[in-house]
Amino acid sequence: MNIKGKVVTLRAMEEEDQELLREMVNDPEIEKLVGGYSYPVSTNQQQNWFNSNSNSQNNIRLIIETKEDGAVGFASIVNIDWKNRTAFHGIKIANKKFRSRGIGTDTVMAVMKYAFEELQLNRLDGTIIEYNEPSRKLYCDKCGWTVEGVRRKAVFKLNEYHDELIVGVLKKDYERLIKENNYWDI
Amino acid sequence: MNIKGKVVTLRAMEEEDQELLREMVNDPEIEKLVGGYSYPVSTNQQQNWFNSNSNSQNNIRLIIETKEDGAVGFASIVNIDWKNRTAFHGIKIANKKFRSRGIGTDTVMAVMKYAFEELQLNRLDGTIIEYNEPSRKLYCDKCGWTVEGVRRKAVFKLNEYHDELIVGVLKKDYERLIKENNYWDI
Amino acid sequence: MNIKGKVVTLRAMEEEDQELLREMVNDPEIEKLVGGYSYPVSTNQQQNWFNSNSNSQNNIRLIIETKEDGAVGFASIVNIDWKNRTAFHGIKIANKKFRSRGIGTDTVMAVMKYAFEELQLNRLDGTIIEYNEPSRKLYCDKCGWTVEGVRRKAVFKLNEYHDELIVGVLKKDYERLIKENNYWDI
Amino acid sequence: MNIKGKVVTLRAMEEEDQELLREMVNDPEIEKLVGGYSYPVSTNQQQNWFNSNSNSQNNIRLIIETKEDGAVGFASIVNIDWKNRTAFHGIKIANKKFRSRGIGTDTVMAVMKYAFEELQLNRLDGTIIEYNEPSRKLYCDKCGWTVEGVRRKAVFKLNEYHDELIVGVLKKDYERLIKENNYWDI
Amino acid sequence: MNIKGKVVTLRAMEEEDQELLREMVNDPEIEKLVGGYSYPVSTNQQQNWFNSNSNSQNNIRLIIETKEDGAVGFASIVNIDWKNRTAFHGIKIANKKFRSRGIGTDTVMAVMKYAFEELQLNRLDGTIIEYNEPSRKLYCDKCGWTVEGVRRKAVFKLNEYHDELIVGVLKKDYERLIKENNYWDI
Amino acid sequence: MNIKGKVVTLRAMEEEDQELLREMVNDPEIEKLVGGYSYPVSTNQQQNWFNSNSNSQNNIRLIIETKEDGAVGFASIVNIDWKNRTAFHGIKIANKKFRSRGIGTDTVMAVMKYAFEELQLNRLDGTIIEYNEPSRKLYCDKCGWTVEGVRRKAVFKLNEYHDELIVGVLKKDYERLIKENNYWDI
């Protein structure tokens, strides 16, 4: 089933989303903000990636959609470890104007709701590059995540090494959060 | 051959039915009502599923159609065990307005007629999530099925475990039913 | 080469015939009249069947066509056993109005002419479900075939077992027939 | 599971049985006795046949084995039609000395027991070439089968056409038989 | 890792175990005791089955081994549903003498310990044919399982339909059991 | 080239090492000490794993060998990220008696020397399950690694969640260490 936030719907990727994803992965502004990196990606490569990455038992990749703007980003719940009940989560928002409108928060809330209340996971993992303060605020100040460690000098970007924050959230953190902020009720 | 109820016709799935099936499988309201679950499904995945699920000796998947509304749902007779003469049956109706118009009953009656009077099966199995009282009524009150057991805490949905009813119907139950209610004659 | 009766032409199946064949195979009225059976068939499955059943050394499948009405049915000469010089023959006429116009007789006559006078077969086999009296009349009263046996309770349809007539015709039966009735001359 | 008669065990074919099967299929004395025929078969061809004919849902091929003599023949339950609950049955005994020792009867009895009491079939079909009187006696006099028809001139062997007997047995025939002769109790 | 009971070790299947497994599956005495069934299985088929059934994320198949006797049976945790945290469990013991020595109980206890305390499952499912009272006692009297339902007439064996018990055990049932009987401590 | 410590040699895996690796992976005592887990592994699966895991650009797997005892364990440098110059490192020692003889330390020192002085990596990552104090001492007290974080409740073993230490070492940490302890000179 699709995953509903208050503003966003998270749905399976479609072929017509690939150009947006390719633009995002090729955009230096976005690459700077995330821990990962990518060589320049062609339309063909993007298509091949899409063809071999449909949703499966261990990896769920989703388009973030709003009624107003259509597809605005990408969210993933990947490397699901069912025995330990953990998974890795990340998001990318396509466009600056979307980044300050609560879409990020709603996406992370919806992902946690789905991961904890439907998939029965117990923990989500994430990483944040040290200087991406908006991302740290989104995850840790608004969505109940905790900085659990710092991988020193783990990412090389813009000609220097950067530390990478290890962040995580447990089901009980999420439960405490929604009890406090009544996210789904207001 | 196609399977005729009094109102519905059950026919093979076509490529043009896939968007309806995809909407149903992605609809959180419908997922809530059934025992199964699905990750968000893309157009491509739906197409692949269709391509590898044509009707065969052991699995029959059908579109429920009415003259008035065209395709309104999905019914299956799957995991046919010819030696034991059992199969698993399930239905999904697309849209709330269809759910209260006798389409469910007519579909289950037509499926039983076909399974027992043509395929020579002796038993159909089904499952109902505990809180889906309309489904229990449809199967057990109107169509002669029996609750044969309760798999405790077998389904996790909406952040808790739910019991799952095991329901079944034998050919002789169906024969008694139509003798009593003359379903096919009135 | 195409096979000519007095009214019908028997020609190879074309892609555009498949919808007619699919309707016939999905029609419960026709399934009732023949020995075989089929699960509901989709457009795709019909297409796949067509793609893998072009005419070959051992199986010839033909469209029955008339000038007036175009394609009206289907005839086959299959499981050809060249050593024993036997084959299995069957026909299906699409539509009730065609069934009483001599099309059936002309098709069987044309099939026998082709099978015995061109393919050098010595015998054709067929089966008739016990209650299909028109079919028995067509084969045995009009076309020289003989009921050679009865497979007791061999077909389950409409919720009961039915006997199946084993019918056959030898080249010499055909030769005697056309000597008597001068079929091809009048 | 393996199928037990009073004397014989029917078990899956093994690679080491193939030479026996090849000798049987290449033996003109045996080909004369059965309805079928085969071109000369090489070791390789036999191996290929074996590799593509393991037991499956619709075709069961079995070695007849006795404690005393090991593998002595071959029995099959093939073309299983689960909807109509029919199948085709045949046996071949390797060696004349085995043919008069009750092995044939015990095999047919064990096959019927398995087909009717485990597989839930309702009917078995067979064919007998007209002059194979021992085979007719085995099936019809000892094992409850009935000659249901005669396919005239259906088999060409030894430079002439022969009629082929159509034989069949229903579950109720088998039940009557074992009630009368107490086969499994004495 | 291997799974340790007090008496048994559960380890991955090896090629050299296949002959034992094949004997078990071909043994009519064992087939009578279990819900499933199998056509006669050849060495080759067994080998192919083995080659395509190595342990994986969703299906774990294990040899039951004791120091004294080596391989004595087979246990499985299959159809693991990680979202609902359920799986299907079954065992087969090869030989009558082993069936009365506590090997069954120790195997089921070890399977539960592994499923609940390592794999984090919440529920195990099983089925028992109605007349297999020793199996019901093993699961329900000794190992904390509950009969949750009865699939009426679900299994055809020995020429009649039999009911099939639906049994299940929850993690909390297992925890209560070992608290009461101190299984792992004595 | 092989990698030389003062006591150990790290060399490529051979087919004959697989039985040792299989024993290690099936040994519950070892599984308890590491972060990862494995279902029971057969000889065949181990062989398949070996066949698909030869050393490559991004993953180096090594046997730890001593003159005295031959193969005593396993070390890896995997998920090499050449752009960020990081990799993940882990070791397993087969047998308790080896674990207290300096083999662990010598292996980690040799791995660091190779990773930093030959591969030009800048950072190695590792994980330690919270209660494995000997492992923490080995890495952090003897080999210059730092605990950089704690993934809360990330590993489920022995029926409870455990924290997992995130450990790391930079090239400059290694350089400082060997300047201080002259590891390679004494």
Side-chain angles (χ1 to χ4, degrees), chain E residues 23 31 42 52 58-59 67 75 85 99 102 107 112 118 124 138 154 169 172 182-183:
Chain E
E23 277 169 27
E31 179 151 324
S42 70
S52 54
N58 295 334
N59 294 289
K67 253 191 194 152
R85 293 210 256 151
R99 275 175 223 154
T107 300
M112 289 194 292
E118 296 296 330
L124 290 174
L138 165 56
V169 68
K172 72 176 159 63
N182 294 307
Y183 185 81

Side-chain angles (χ1 to χ4, degrees), chain D residues 1-5 7-25 46 49-50 53-55 59-67 69-78 89-94 98 103-104 106-108 110-111 114, chain E residues 22 26 39-43 45:
Chain D
M1 67 177 191
N2 290 340
I3 303 163
K4 302 276 187 187
V7 182
V8 302
T9 297
L10 307 181
R11 59 160 177 79
M13 295 187 296
E14 297 291 345
E15 197 158 339
E16 53 268 32
D17 300 315
Q18 297 314 304
E19 191 51 25
L20 176 71
L21 295 178
R22 195 174 79 90
E23 277 169 25
M24 286 165 68
V25 93
Q46 183 69 36
W49 177 84
F50 172 60
N53 281 288
S54 53
N55 287 337
N59 294 289
I60 302 172
R61 293 181 179 85
L62 301 157
I63 292 295
I64 307 167
E65 199 175 65
T66 68
K67 254 192 194 152
D69 297 298
V72 300
F74 177 77
S76 62
I77 305 171
V78 292
H89 162 59
I91 62 170
K92 273 185 197 175
I93 309 291
F98 298 129
I103 287 171
D106 198 47
T107 300
V108 177
V111 162
Y114 183 70
Chain E
R22 196 175 78 89
N26 279 337
Y39 307 118
V41 172
S42 70
T43 311
Q45 279 181 297

Side-chain angles (χ1 to χ4, degrees), chain F residues 153-169:
Chain F
K153 307 299 176 202
V155 176
F156 189 86
K157 276 192 183 184
L158 308 167
N159 202 25
E160 51 185 337
Y161 284 108
H162 304 281
D163 293 350
E164 186 181 65
L165 309 188
I166 297 288
V167 295
V169 67

Side-chain angles (χ1 to χ4, degrees), chain B residues 74-78 88-92 107 111 125-126 139 145:
Chain B
F74 177 76
S76 61
I77 305 171
V78 292
F88 187 90
H89 163 57
I91 63 171
K92 273 186 196 174
T107 300
V111 161
D125 284 279
Y139 279 93
W145 293 54

Side-chain angles (χ1 to χ4, degrees), chain A residues 51-108:
Chain A
N51 290 338
S52 52
N53 280 289
S54 53
N55 287 337
S56 68
Q57 189 181 17
N58 296 333
N59 294 289
I60 302 173
R61 292 181 179 86
L62 302 156
I63 292 295
I64 307 168
E65 199 174 67
T66 68
K67 254 193 193 148
E68 228 176 344
D69 297 297
V72 300
F74 177 76
S76 62
I77 305 171
V78 291
N79 299 331
I80 300 178
D81 179 336
W82 290 102
K83 176 180 182 291
N84 290 317
R85 293 211 255 151
T86 63
F88 187 89
H89 163 58
I91 62 171
K92 273 185 196 174
I93 308 290
N95 191 304
K96 261 191 186 163
K97 80 171 176 182
F98 299 128
R99 273 174 225 153
S100 46
R101 290 212 325 233
I103 286 171
T105 305
D106 199 47
T107 300
V108 177

